[in-house]
Amino acid sequence: FVGLGMVGSHAGKRGNFIMTHARISMEKQAGTSYPVPENEDFRLQVLYSHKILNTPPESQFDRLTRLASVHFKVPMSIIALIGSDQMWCKASKGVNLQETPREDAFCAHTIAEAELMVVPDATKDPRFKENPMVVGEPGIRFYVGAPLITSEGVALGALCLIDTYPRGFFSPEDRQYLTDLAGAVVDQMELRRALLTEMQDDMYMVG
């Protein structure tokens, strides 16, 4: 499908993100329970440039969450985008979730990581053991999130896998496959943004 052939282009982006990651403040900002990137204003600017928040489902993103769930044999997968104070789901499989407060979102931690974030058992992780999505529905235990790193070198959200049972192992091959799928998500987002920009330019010229 469209996007998988373009995944290799994200190797350089990840290198840029690792450099950016060195500038991420892991200190909790006043009143927050999650790490906030030092380039948060720029990150949000890039996110809003995609004009993707609060938009209807789109098949290319739904397809990627289905692939993730089937390949990793997990009941839930989500393409999540992190706004200023909310996590918003562009696509999901196996869970009816549209948005959640950023402070409750595992993915709010994933965007502060240079690589995948793996949580084998959320009940044993001090960051998440009292999270409402752990102690309540959907009862998250296992979580893996791959940051969605754009060509600008910022992480807009994550492609994540969720299970209601702990898992003790996530292989290097698993890590690579999920990273590639996250790259395909970003390729689709950037293609979508380019098409929207082209349409707007055409409308301006016609006007």
Side-chain angles (χ1 to χ4, degrees):
F1 56 89
V2 176
L4 279 181
M6 302 166 64
V7 167
S9 66
H10 284 269
K13 297 174 190 176
R14 279 189 209 98
N16 292 337
F17 181 71
I18 290 172
M19 294 177 64
T20 303
H21 176 67
R23 298 191 295 272
I24 288 179
S25 170
M26 296 303 292
E27 296 293 330
K28 294 176 182 176
Q29 291 191 2
T32 70
S33 57
Y34 48 84
V36 178
E38 289 185 355
N39 63 354
E40 177 71 355
D41 288 344
F42 177 63
R43 191 192 71 81
L44 290 172
Q45 179 182 343
V46 174
L47 174 61
Y48 298 148
S49 75
H50 282 267
K51 297 181 173 62
I52 196 170
L53 296 180
N54 299 307
T55 56
E58 297 177 58
S59 61
Q60 67 270 36
F61 299 109
D62 294 338
R63 186 179 303 126
L64 288 165
T65 56
R66 289 197 301 271
L67 281 173
S69 287
V70 170
H71 179 82
F72 292 104
K73 297 180 173 62
V74 293
M76 293 169 275
S77 60
I78 297 172
I79 295 173
L81 301 170
I82 303 298
S84 59
D85 56 8
Q86 293 284 117
M87 182 192 82
W88 183 78
C89 298
K90 178 57 183 173
S92 62
K93 171 67 174 176
V95 59
N96 184 20
L97 180 67
Q98 293 184 330
E99 62 181 41
T100 189
R102 184 170 174 173
E103 63 185 14
D104 295 337
F106 283 54
C107 297
H109 295 260
T110 303
I111 65 169
E113 300 288 334
E115 302 294 338
L116 272 67
M117 187 179 83
V118 182
V119 180
D121 185 350
T123 65
K124 297 179 179 178
D125 190 309
R127 296 171 297 176
F128 306 118
K129 63 182 182 179
E130 297 181 359
N131 187 288
M133 291 190 289
V134 174
V135 299
E137 294 296 330
I140 296 173
R141 296 296 180 266
F142 174 74
Y143 168 94
V144 180
L148 302 176
I149 304 167
T150 69
S151 56
E152 294 90 350
V154 296
L156 302 187
L159 171 61
C160 64
L161 312 173
I162 297 170
D163 202 343
T164 54
Y165 294 94
R167 295 193 183 194
F169 184 68
F170 202 69
S171 72
E173 292 78 14
D174 289 336
R175 289 173 177 266
Q176 186 60 58
Y177 191 88
L178 185 60
T179 298
D180 288 347
L181 281 180
V185 172
V186 175
D187 288 338
Q188 292 292 342
M189 289 179 61
E190 297 196 333
L191 175 60
R192 180 183 182 280
R193 180 175 60 175
L195 291 173
L196 284 175
T197 300
E198 182 178 347
M199 290 173 59
Q200 289 173 347
D201 289 345
D202 289 345
M203 290 176 62
Y204 178 77
M205 291 179 64
V206 170

